[in-house]
Amino acid sequence: PSYVASLIYDTEGTPKDLRFLDVNLAFQVQAKRSRDQLVDNTYTEVFNDNDALHRWLVHFDRVVKTGKPDHFTERGGIFHRTYEISAFLPEADLFAVTLTDITDRLQAEKQVGQLQRLYATLSQINESIVRIKNEHDLFNAICSIAVETGEFDLVWIGIFDENKNAITPVESAAKKDVADHVKTDIIQPGPLGNGLIFRANQEKKAVYCIEGSSDPRHDQWQRIALESGFISLAVAPLINDGNFTGMISFYSREPGIFQSDEELKLLSNIGDDISFALHSLEIENERQQTAAKMRASEHTLKLFVENAPAAIAMFNLEMRYVAVSRRFRTDYHLGEEDLLGRSHYQVFPEITEEVKQIHQRCLAGEVQRRDEDSFLRADGSVEWMRWETHPWKGENNEIAGILLFS
């Protein structure tokens, strides 16, 4: 679109309006006015937007007085688009204007920048997931990364309580210029409702809403966020074994984000990766609890062996002594010899290959026993005994050795 115009000055020599002298077809289409409605009429007679006019007149006056071209960018204005505007002087007292619509280009550049930030955010969150093994610290890192790298204005994570059908915020981060009272008002526990978080739960993927959305379903967090100046909101669900366990919310005061499929897919990926991390932490916590119980059980078992009135020895997977009872020492004439950590086959080199094979079967999970068996000692004497072997289990409920009762 382009046109030729002249300036209209007030008595003090300040430009107050412009008069259209010629317009091309593209400008007529953009202005939604015919040539007759534009030519020989002033800007204010045609359009009702004095704010834009006053901004433009400064540039046009400079062109008329200096004869030098001028270039500037106008956002919004009468056409509600973004234009690069070039003005130059074709002849004295007249200036020509061309308008280049750059709205789509700027939006594409903005989206590319947003996607780059989201990819960087996802990458850094995954690095944190690998490095951090504490849920609270992980949530804190994720929210901080989303604000600092993703450039969101406010991010918070909430956990879903199925019994109460409610969301409880557990961590958040915000840009410094987001008022404390705004964060406090938004980040409050509340019922799930039927708004954005509910939709994320139902669809099992990231969803968004924007200011002025026609969807009447608003939860308490949406309502307060939109009232507090946030324009674009998105929520990604946290899913564990198909069950909704929480969410991460992203708020921005910038329009036009969260609306592309690729952006929403990346937000969903962030939610999926957090869900995986939480599931892994849950498994690791269970493993550690089980290991602690097994260590406590192993300690109790050692105490039992050491204080048992019977002849009992406890071995690890390498058939090295872990614990031994006083009666075992007495029956096998071992005195106060230090046995812990020593090989059973070193202490008793006369043990046959047949007996060693029995021990291996027991280490594989079998229970072995003999009601009467001979034991040929290294000095040539023979001892008759009854014995029984059982595997014992350690961490992860796996076989850690055998118990010998004789």
Side-chain angles (χ1 to χ4, degrees), residues 189-216:
L192 180 60
N194 65 345
L196 204 58
I197 297 177
F198 177 81
R199 284 175 50 207
N201 173 24
Q202 291 294 303
E203 299 181 26
K204 298 295 186 287
K205 64 180 182 180
V207 296
Y208 78 98
C209 79
I210 57 176
E211 184 183 40
S213 170
S214 60
D215 191 340

mmCIF file of all heavy atoms in Angstrom, residues 189-216:
data_model
loop_
_atom_site.group_PDB
_atom_site.id
_atom_site.type_symbol
_atom_site.label_atom_id
_atom_site.label_comp_id
_atom_site.label_asym_id
_atom_site.label_seq_id
_atom_site.Cartn_x
_atom_site.Cartn_y
_atom_site.Cartn_z
ATOM 1 N N PRO A 189 -4.018 -23.270 47.022
ATOM 2 C CA PRO A 189 -4.701 -24.557 46.805
ATOM 3 C C PRO A 189 -6.165 -24.331 46.479
ATOM 4 O O PRO A 189 -6.756 -23.314 46.866
ATOM 5 C CB PRO A 189 -4.517 -25.281 48.144
ATOM 6 C CG PRO A 189 -4.290 -24.192 49.148
ATOM 7 C CD PRO A 189 -3.574 -23.098 48.416
ATOM 8 N N GLY A 190 -6.740 -25.263 45.739
ATOM 9 C CA GLY A 190 -8.148 -25.121 45.391
ATOM 10 C C GLY A 190 -8.673 -26.343 44.679
ATOM 11 O O GLY A 190 -7.915 -27.238 44.292
ATOM 12 N N PRO A 191 -9.989 -26.414 44.504
ATOM 13 C CA PRO A 191 -10.609 -27.555 43.820
ATOM 14 C C PRO A 191 -10.208 -27.607 42.348
ATOM 15 O O PRO A 191 -9.928 -26.574 41.738
ATOM 16 C CB PRO A 191 -12.105 -27.294 43.984
ATOM 17 C CG PRO A 191 -12.217 -25.804 44.160
ATOM 18 C CD PRO A 191 -10.985 -25.401 44.923
ATOM 19 N N LEU A 192 -10.189 -28.805 41.792
ATOM 20 C CA LEU A 192 -9.779 -28.994 40.399
ATOM 21 C C LEU A 192 -10.635 -28.164 39.449
ATOM 22 O O LEU A 192 -10.137 -27.563 38.502
ATOM 23 C CB LEU A 192 -9.859 -30.479 40.032
ATOM 24 C CG LEU A 192 -9.466 -30.846 38.600
ATOM 25 C CD1 LEU A 192 -8.029 -30.448 38.326
ATOM 26 C CD2 LEU A 192 -9.662 -32.345 38.371
ATOM 27 N N GLY A 193 -11.943 -28.099 39.694
ATOM 28 C CA GLY A 193 -12.832 -27.314 38.843
ATOM 29 C C GLY A 193 -12.957 -27.915 37.454
ATOM 30 O O GLY A 193 -12.668 -29.092 37.226
ATOM 31 N N ASN A 194 -13.361 -27.076 36.482
ATOM 32 C CA ASN A 194 -13.525 -27.577 35.114
ATOM 33 C C ASN A 194 -12.828 -26.671 34.106
ATOM 34 O O ASN A 194 -13.226 -26.581 32.952
ATOM 35 C CB ASN A 194 -15.012 -27.694 34.765
ATOM 36 C CG ASN A 194 -15.708 -26.335 34.731
ATOM 37 O OD1 ASN A 194 -15.159 -25.347 35.238
ATOM 38 N ND2 ASN A 194 -16.881 -26.291 34.144
ATOM 39 N N GLY A 195 -11.770 -25.979 34.560
ATOM 40 C CA GLY A 195 -11.056 -25.054 33.689
ATOM 41 C C GLY A 195 -9.863 -25.678 32.993
ATOM 42 O O GLY A 195 -9.891 -26.834 32.561
ATOM 43 N N LEU A 196 -8.778 -24.905 32.911
ATOM 44 C CA LEU A 196 -7.621 -25.308 32.118
ATOM 45 C C LEU A 196 -6.951 -26.568 32.664
ATOM 46 O O LEU A 196 -6.573 -27.457 31.899
ATOM 47 C CB LEU A 196 -6.620 -24.141 32.079
ATOM 48 C CG LEU A 196 -5.637 -24.096 30.902
ATOM 49 C CD1 LEU A 196 -6.380 -24.067 29.583
ATOM 50 C CD2 LEU A 196 -4.721 -22.887 31.025
ATOM 51 N N ILE A 197 -6.789 -26.640 33.977
ATOM 52 C CA ILE A 197 -6.148 -27.826 34.567
ATOM 53 C C ILE A 197 -7.005 -29.062 34.345
ATOM 54 O O ILE A 197 -6.497 -30.146 34.035
ATOM 55 C CB ILE A 197 -5.882 -27.591 36.069
ATOM 56 C CG1 ILE A 197 -4.905 -26.427 36.249
ATOM 57 C CG2 ILE A 197 -5.329 -28.851 36.733
ATOM 58 C CD1 ILE A 197 -4.633 -26.056 37.693
ATOM 59 N N PHE A 198 -8.313 -28.908 34.482
ATOM 60 C CA PHE A 198 -9.231 -30.027 34.221
ATOM 61 C C PHE A 198 -9.098 -30.501 32.778
ATOM 62 O O PHE A 198 -9.059 -31.708 32.501
ATOM 63 C CB PHE A 198 -10.668 -29.578 34.507
ATOM 64 C CG PHE A 198 -11.705 -30.621 34.198
ATOM 65 C CD1 PHE A 198 -11.964 -31.636 35.098
ATOM 66 C CD2 PHE A 198 -12.411 -30.587 33.000
ATOM 67 C CE1 PHE A 198 -12.930 -32.608 34.813
ATOM 68 C CE2 PHE A 198 -13.362 -31.545 32.705
ATOM 69 C CZ PHE A 198 -13.625 -32.557 33.622
ATOM 70 N N ARG A 199 -9.007 -29.563 31.835
ATOM 71 C CA ARG A 199 -8.867 -29.928 30.420
ATOM 72 C C ARG A 199 -7.559 -30.673 30.169
ATOM 73 O O ARG A 199 -7.516 -31.649 29.416
ATOM 74 C CB ARG A 199 -8.928 -28.680 29.546
ATOM 75 C CG ARG A 199 -10.339 -28.111 29.354
ATOM 76 C CD ARG A 199 -10.259 -26.807 28.577
ATOM 77 N NE ARG A 199 -9.446 -26.950 27.375
ATOM 78 C CZ ARG A 199 -8.786 -25.942 26.802
ATOM 79 N NH1 ARG A 199 -8.836 -24.715 27.344
ATOM 80 N NH2 ARG A 199 -8.079 -26.138 25.709
ATOM 81 N N ALA A 200 -6.477 -30.204 30.808
ATOM 82 C CA ALA A 200 -5.185 -30.878 30.646
ATOM 83 C C ALA A 200 -5.258 -32.311 31.160
ATOM 84 O O ALA A 200 -4.692 -33.236 30.563
ATOM 85 C CB ALA A 200 -4.094 -30.102 31.386
ATOM 86 N N ASN A 201 -5.976 -32.498 32.261
ATOM 87 C CA ASN A 201 -6.178 -33.840 32.818
ATOM 88 C C ASN A 201 -6.979 -34.701 31.852
ATOM 89 O O ASN A 201 -6.613 -35.857 31.583
ATOM 90 C CB ASN A 201 -6.891 -33.725 34.168
ATOM 91 C CG ASN A 201 -7.279 -35.076 34.731
ATOM 92 O OD1 ASN A 201 -6.679 -36.103 34.403
ATOM 93 N ND2 ASN A 201 -8.284 -35.096 35.588
ATOM 94 N N GLN A 202 -8.052 -34.156 31.315
ATOM 95 C CA GLN A 202 -8.915 -34.928 30.429
ATOM 96 C C GLN A 202 -8.216 -35.286 29.118
ATOM 97 O O GLN A 202 -8.337 -36.408 28.621
ATOM 98 C CB GLN A 202 -10.189 -34.119 30.115
ATOM 99 C CG GLN A 202 -11.113 -33.947 31.320
ATOM 100 C CD GLN A 202 -11.710 -35.255 31.778
ATOM 101 O OE1 GLN A 202 -12.351 -35.954 31.016
ATOM 102 N NE2 GLN A 202 -11.481 -35.598 33.039
ATOM 103 N N GLU A 203 -7.475 -34.341 28.552
ATOM 104 C CA GLU A 203 -6.858 -34.557 27.248
ATOM 105 C C GLU A 203 -5.473 -35.187 27.339
ATOM 106 O O GLU A 203 -4.909 -35.616 26.332
ATOM 107 C CB GLU A 203 -6.783 -33.235 26.484
ATOM 108 C CG GLU A 203 -8.161 -32.618 26.221
ATOM 109 C CD GLU A 203 -8.084 -31.314 25.449
ATOM 110 O OE1 GLU A 203 -7.098 -31.119 24.706
ATOM 111 O OE2 GLU A 203 -8.998 -30.477 25.601
ATOM 112 N N LYS A 204 -4.919 -35.220 28.561
ATOM 113 C CA LYS A 204 -3.604 -35.824 28.795
ATOM 114 C C LYS A 204 -2.515 -35.186 27.922
ATOM 115 O O LYS A 204 -1.603 -35.854 27.428
ATOM 116 C CB LYS A 204 -3.647 -37.336 28.549
ATOM 117 C CG LYS A 204 -4.587 -38.087 29.477
ATOM 118 C CD LYS A 204 -4.135 -38.015 30.922
ATOM 119 C CE LYS A 204 -4.989 -38.883 31.841
ATOM 120 N NZ LYS A 204 -6.329 -38.345 32.086
ATOM 121 N N LYS A 205 -2.619 -33.872 27.729
ATOM 122 C CA LYS A 205 -1.617 -33.133 26.975
ATOM 123 C C LYS A 205 -1.716 -31.662 27.357
ATOM 124 O O LYS A 205 -2.667 -31.245 28.040
ATOM 125 C CB LYS A 205 -1.815 -33.307 25.477
ATOM 126 C CG LYS A 205 -3.126 -32.735 24.953
ATOM 127 C CD LYS A 205 -3.261 -32.929 23.450
ATOM 128 C CE LYS A 205 -4.549 -32.315 22.928
ATOM 129 N NZ LYS A 205 -4.692 -32.513 21.456
ATOM 130 N N ALA A 206 -0.746 -30.883 26.911
ATOM 131 C CA ALA A 206 -0.743 -29.451 27.219
ATOM 132 C C ALA A 206 -1.895 -28.746 26.510
ATOM 133 O O ALA A 206 -2.192 -29.020 25.351
ATOM 134 C CB ALA A 206 0.585 -28.827 26.813
ATOM 135 N N VAL A 207 -2.546 -27.838 27.231
ATOM 136 C CA VAL A 207 -3.636 -27.042 26.671
ATOM 137 C C VAL A 207 -3.387 -25.580 27.038
ATOM 138 O O VAL A 207 -2.600 -25.277 27.932
ATOM 139 C CB VAL A 207 -5.012 -27.495 27.207
ATOM 140 C CG1 VAL A 207 -5.327 -28.921 26.758
ATOM 141 C CG2 VAL A 207 -5.059 -27.415 28.735
ATOM 142 N N TYR A 208 -4.075 -24.666 26.343
ATOM 143 C CA TYR A 208 -3.832 -23.249 26.587
ATOM 144 C C TYR A 208 -5.132 -22.466 26.510
ATOM 145 O O TYR A 208 -6.159 -22.940 26.010
ATOM 146 C CB TYR A 208 -2.844 -22.685 25.559
ATOM 147 C CG TYR A 208 -3.467 -22.397 24.210
ATOM 148 C CD1 TYR A 208 -3.879 -21.114 23.869
ATOM 149 C CD2 TYR A 208 -3.667 -23.423 23.272
ATOM 150 C CE1 TYR A 208 -4.469 -20.844 22.641
ATOM 151 C CE2 TYR A 208 -4.249 -23.161 22.048
ATOM 152 C CZ TYR A 208 -4.650 -21.877 21.742
ATOM 153 O OH TYR A 208 -5.227 -21.615 20.535
ATOM 154 N N CYS A 209 -5.085 -21.256 27.019
ATOM 155 C CA CYS A 209 -6.168 -20.300 26.808
ATOM 156 C C CYS A 209 -5.543 -18.919 26.715
ATOM 157 O O CYS A 209 -4.421 -18.700 27.184
ATOM 158 C CB CYS A 209 -7.229 -20.362 27.914
ATOM 159 S SG CYS A 209 -6.788 -19.513 29.439
ATOM 160 N N ILE A 210 -6.250 -17.993 26.115
ATOM 161 C CA ILE A 210 -5.753 -16.630 25.970
ATOM 162 C C ILE A 210 -6.816 -15.667 26.472
ATOM 163 O O ILE A 210 -7.984 -16.020 26.632
ATOM 164 C CB ILE A 210 -5.403 -16.305 24.502
ATOM 165 C CG1 ILE A 210 -6.634 -16.518 23.607
ATOM 166 C CG2 ILE A 210 -4.230 -17.126 24.033
ATOM 167 C CD1 ILE A 210 -6.398 -16.118 22.159
ATOM 168 N N GLU A 211 -6.387 -14.446 26.728
ATOM 169 C CA GLU A 211 -7.319 -13.402 27.161
ATOM 170 C C GLU A 211 -8.408 -13.234 26.105
ATOM 171 O O GLU A 211 -8.148 -13.205 24.914
ATOM 172 C CB GLU A 211 -6.567 -12.095 27.345
ATOM 173 C CG GLU A 211 -7.423 -10.969 27.892
ATOM 174 C CD GLU A 211 -6.635 -9.675 27.990
ATOM 175 O OE1 GLU A 211 -5.850 -9.406 27.069
ATOM 176 O OE2 GLU A 211 -6.805 -8.964 28.984
ATOM 177 N N GLY A 212 -9.641 -13.163 26.555
ATOM 178 C CA GLY A 212 -10.749 -12.988 25.634
ATOM 179 C C GLY A 212 -11.263 -14.290 25.055
ATOM 180 O O GLY A 212 -12.097 -14.279 24.157
ATOM 181 N N SER A 213 -10.765 -15.421 25.584
ATOM 182 C CA SER A 213 -11.224 -16.720 25.081
ATOM 183 C C SER A 213 -12.726 -16.860 25.279
ATOM 184 O O SER A 213 -13.283 -16.438 26.296
ATOM 185 C CB SER A 213 -10.495 -17.852 25.820
ATOM 186 O OG SER A 213 -11.079 -19.100 25.519
ATOM 187 N N SER A 214 -13.375 -17.470 24.292
ATOM 188 C CA SER A 214 -14.829 -17.649 24.377
ATOM 189 C C SER A 214 -15.223 -18.820 25.269
ATOM 190 O O SER A 214 -16.401 -18.992 25.582
ATOM 191 C CB SER A 214 -15.397 -17.877 22.968
ATOM 192 O OG SER A 214 -14.817 -19.033 22.378
ATOM 193 N N ASP A 215 -14.225 -19.622 25.686
ATOM 194 C CA ASP A 215 -14.527 -20.763 26.547
ATOM 195 C C ASP A 215 -14.908 -20.261 27.936
ATOM 196 O O ASP A 215 -14.107 -19.614 28.613
ATOM 197 C CB ASP A 215 -13.298 -21.673 26.636
ATOM 198 C CG ASP A 215 -13.619 -23.011 27.302
ATOM 199 O OD1 ASP A 215 -14.652 -23.093 28.014
ATOM 200 O OD2 ASP A 215 -12.849 -23.964 27.115
ATOM 201 N N PRO A 216 -16.125 -20.527 28.390
ATOM 202 C CA PRO A 216 -16.569 -20.003 29.693
ATOM 203 C C PRO A 216 -16.018 -20.779 30.876
ATOM 204 O O PRO A 216 -16.190 -20.367 32.024
ATOM 205 C CB PRO A 216 -18.093 -20.155 29.615
ATOM 206 C CG PRO A 216 -18.290 -21.362 28.733
ATOM 207 C CD PRO A 216 -17.174 -21.310 27.709
#
